[in-house]
Amino acid sequence: MKVTEHIENAKGETLFSFEIIPPVKGHNIQELYDNIDPLMEFNPPFIDVTTSREEYVYIDRDGLLDKKLTRMRPGTVGICASIKHKYNVDTIPHVLCGGFTKEETEYLLIDCHYLGIQNVMALRGDAMKEEKYFEPTSGGHAYASDLVQQIHKLNCGEYLHEVVERDHCADFCIGVAGYPEKHMEAPSLQTDLKRLKQKVDKGAHYVVTQMFFDNKKYFEFVDAARAAGITVPIIPGIKPVAVKRHLQLLPQVFRIDLPQELIDAVEACKNNKQVRQVGIEWAIEQSRELKQAGVPVLHYYSMGKSDNIKAIAEAVF
């Protein structure tokens, strides 16, 4: 079932969903199952599975360093299929511009269609670690809006090199990212909203926001998006603070602000166990206010661990 159909069928009730990260290659999928199992009691209608960018590694070959491209966390589509089969829940693979040609993207989408995966999350992706700014892959897309357009065309039977009968085509529900505090590369929030409107106009069906820690910023973002003519569901993304280092890491990586009250509470903690509890309590209050406001879904960034997400869900759902 499509994300938009899940939202429609909920008839105003806030749904619970979460995002997971594929295990590093060579690891068993059981650890992933162990972190999903405790969250299934909250009946998530769908689970997101991230896709990692490629990165360079250096292999020593007789004293010479050989530079090779690799993916540390491959297998997104396979993991989606496995989770879908094991838990009978819809899964949403993240599809990136970075690291994929248009042909590779088309093959990935065809695989998703064969597997009965009806939803995809279309993202530009981050720059590679060696790059200061995002550089498009040769033969790939430079912007998420172009990726959305490719998926939309495929929905209409327009493949890259041929047109097929509409009855045999996929019908993906397309999600895209939104940024309540604007994308780090956007010169202004208004410009960023124009980019979001482009993605919706090209075929996106719903938006999931980047994490935020002040609900006022989400509400203002939704109001601004509606004023800009964006009418699709806007799902808030929530990430609980888990370690003290997040005070520096999250603003640095995601260009977001943390409320002073949260900063003070974390700085007062003696260890990361206490920080984790502060993060849970803050996310509970965030979630309760958002749920009361009638958001369609509360989407949690689990980062591979479920104990704190479970504690939040028990208090909210």
Side-chain angles (χ1 to χ4, degrees):
M1 191 181 293
K2 297 178 181 180
V3 168
T4 49
E5 291 173 335
H6 282 298
I7 292 172
E8 186 177 331
N9 292 344
K11 300 186 185 304
E13 181 182 347
T14 299
L15 301 172
F16 165 82
S17 72
F18 60 96
E19 181 175 299
I20 59 172
I21 300 174
V24 174
K25 62 185 178 185
H27 286 229
N28 193 290
I29 198 172
Q30 186 58 48
E31 183 178 346
L32 197 58
Y33 292 154
D34 290 343
N35 281 293
I36 293 173
D37 287 343
L39 301 179
M40 294 310 295
E41 67 175 279
F42 306 106
N43 299 315
F46 53 87
I47 299 171
D48 275 53
V49 182
T50 66
T51 295
S52 67
R53 275 217 66 168
E54 79 280 29
E55 57 187 272
Y56 285 109
V57 294
Y58 295 87
I59 302 171
D60 190 343
R61 298 189 187 278
D62 299 324
L64 297 175
L65 291 179
D66 196 5
K67 187 178 181 182
K68 295 289 185 183
L69 275 175
T70 186
R71 291 184 190 276
M72 301 306 293
R73 297 177 183 271
T76 295
V77 173
I79 289 169
C80 282
S82 180
I83 292 172
K84 185 175 184 292
H85 174 73
K86 180 177 175 62
Y87 297 101
N88 191 29
V89 63
D90 285 311
T91 50
I92 306 175
H94 289 194
V95 183
L96 306 183
C97 297
F100 296 88
T101 65
K102 296 172 188 176
E103 283 77 11
E104 288 170 332
T105 296
E106 184 172 282
Y107 300 150
L108 182 150
L109 294 169
I110 290 170
D111 286 344
C112 289
H113 178 44
Y114 289 155
L115 293 166
I117 294 170
Q118 295 182 285
N119 305 278
V120 293
M121 189 75 179
L123 305 166
R124 190 198 71 175
D126 299 324
M128 293 181 67
K129 290 180 180 178
E130 289 83 2
E131 299 172 347
K132 187 172 183 181
Y133 302 106
F134 177 85
E135 293 289 341
T137 297
S138 178
H141 294 295
Y143 302 103
S145 58
D146 296 330
L147 174 57
V148 169
Q149 188 172 47
Q150 179 182 358
I151 301 169
H152 175 71
K153 285 183 175 181
L154 191 144
N155 281 348
C156 297
E158 297 181 39
Y159 289 73
L160 291 174
H161 307 301
E162 59 185 324
V163 176
V164 302
E165 291 288 338
R166 182 67 179 85
D167 290 345
H168 300 291
C169 297
D171 187 19
F172 291 111
C173 181
I174 307 167
V176 293
Y179 300 86
E181 298 173 67
K182 87 173 183 60
H183 190 276
M184 64 181 73
E185 296 174 17
S188 70
L189 181 59
Q190 201 60 39
T191 301
D192 202 27
L193 283 167
K194 288 181 180 179
R195 301 289 180 264
L196 181 59
K197 181 70 161 52
Q198 286 178 345
K199 290 188 281 189
V200 173
D201 289 345
K202 288 187 177 184
H205 300 101
Y206 69 98
V207 176
V208 180
T209 75
Q210 181 176 256
M211 69 184 75
F212 56 90
F213 293 88
D214 181 350
N215 286 351
K216 182 181 177 183
K217 293 184 177 180
Y218 168 79
F219 294 132
E220 290 176 346
F221 174 72
V222 172
D223 288 343
R226 300 303 183 222
I230 298 167
T231 60
V232 300
I234 300 177
I235 297 170
I238 304 296
K239 173 180 169 50
V241 170
V243 294
K244 268 199 175 183
R245 188 163 172 259
H246 279 165
L247 293 186
Q248 290 75 42
L249 190 64
L250 297 180
Q252 178 184 358
V253 174
F254 299 101
R255 303 295 193 274
I256 57 175
D257 288 335
L258 300 179
Q260 190 60 47
E261 184 182 350
L262 176 59
I263 295 170
D264 292 343
V266 171
E267 287 181 340
C269 294
K270 296 179 180 178
N271 52 52
N272 281 334
K273 183 178 180 181
Q274 292 180 356
V275 173
R276 201 168 183 82
Q277 186 58 37
V278 166
I280 289 169
E281 292 171 3
W282 188 273
I284 287 172
E285 292 307 308
Q286 264 194 284
S287 300
R288 283 174 172 165
E289 183 180 26
L290 290 164
K291 187 179 180 184
Q292 187 174 14
V295 299
V297 184
L298 284 168
H299 184 72
Y300 295 92
Y301 298 113
S302 73
M303 307 304 290
K305 300 295 182 183
S306 62
D307 59 311
N308 53 353
I309 307 299
K310 185 177 190 296
I312 296 162
E314 285 177 334
V316 176
F317 291 93

